[in-house]
Amino acid sequence: MQPSSTDLPTDGSQVTLSGRLGMPAWLSVEKLRSMPQREAIVTFECRTSGPRRHYFTGALLIDVLQAAKPLFTPNERKDRLRFLISVLGRDGHRVELSWGEIDPEFGNVPALLAVSMDCRDLDAQGPHLVLPGDRCGARHVSQVTDIRLWSGDQVCG
Ligand SMILES: Nc1nc2c(c(=O)[nH]1)N[C@H]1C(S)=C(S)[C@@H](COP(=O)(O)O)O[C@H]1N2
Ligand SMILES: [Mo]
């Protein structure tokens, strides 16, 4: 099932959730804010801009993806480990995560889709991917526009 025309984005800040999902969707920052919220203070080192520190609030990426009903083989834990999560920023910066990395039964990394950064709402810009434990800033993708779940051994789609 594809997102219906009634769900079409009204501005440039919506995120497309697509790929191997039973319920692909368009997600606004407002919708992300309606999900259970976490907060994270992250400190990291950027090779070009030096040490940085930010305060983020938002939804867990795993909750967002679970709500979109990933098409895993039921009751086969190992099947989930074949899946990757491609996160794309508006400027083309793209980061690949693995399902196993954020799955509570495996890596349990609390990746966030942040709706606010340093107490400023991100409704106009779009959400921000946050990997709270990262030492380098490159996976804190700003202005996320697309999230795609796919499996490495997938030939089509
Ligand atoms: N969309 C997007 N997000 C991005 C980047 C980028 O090039 N595009 N660069 C990353 C890098 S390398 C760093 S260090 C941090 C810096 O974030 P800050 O300047 O907000 O602290 O943003 C990350 N997020
Ligand atoms: Mo960076």
Side-chain angles (χ1 to χ4, degrees):
M1 196 176 70
Q2 294 303 311
S4 78
S5 56
T6 51
D7 299 328
L8 281 176
T10 50
D11 58 49
S13 65
Q14 307 249 347
V15 179
T16 310
L17 213 54
S18 66
R20 302 277 294 154
L21 297 169
M23 290 177 60
W26 294 102
L27 279 185
S28 62
V29 168
E30 197 181 340
K31 171 79 183 167
L32 291 172
R33 198 175 282 115
S34 73
M35 304 179 75
Q37 299 292 288
R38 293 285 191 95
E39 53 182 12
I41 295 171
V42 302
T43 53
F44 58 87
E45 186 82 25
C46 172
R47 197 155 56 88
T48 47
S49 55
R52 321 282 285 164
R53 183 183 174 87
H54 297 291
Y55 168 65
F56 292 101
T57 67
L60 284 175
L61 177 61
I62 190 107
D63 289 349
V64 174
L65 287 167
Q66 292 284 25
K69 307 283 179 223
L71 297 172
F72 299 139
T73 306
N75 306 320
E76 275 194 38
R77 181 176 296 158
K78 284 180 188 166
D79 182 58
R80 307 202 302 263
L81 303 180
R82 298 172 186 271
F83 283 80
L84 298 174
I85 305 157
S86 196
V87 180
L88 180 69
R90 191 173 307 287
D91 60 355
H93 181 44
R94 188 164 68 95
V95 163
E96 213 65 67
L97 306 176
S98 70
W99 185 274
E101 185 178 1
I102 64 166
D103 188 312
E105 289 192 295
F106 296 99
N108 198 25
V109 166
L112 287 186
L113 273 177
V115 300
S116 83
M117 174 175 169
D118 302 330
C119 303
R120 283 193 205 95
D121 289 339
L122 295 172
D123 294 63
Q125 296 95 315
H128 205 108
L129 177 69
V130 178
L131 278 296
D134 276 18
R135 298 172 63 185
C136 169
R139 297 204 297 179
H140 295 292
V141 181
S142 61
Q143 304 196 3
V144 172
T145 59
D146 289 89
I147 299 173
R148 187 171 182 82
L149 181 70
W150 62 290
S151 80
D153 51 13
Q154 199 174 316
V155 178
C156 304

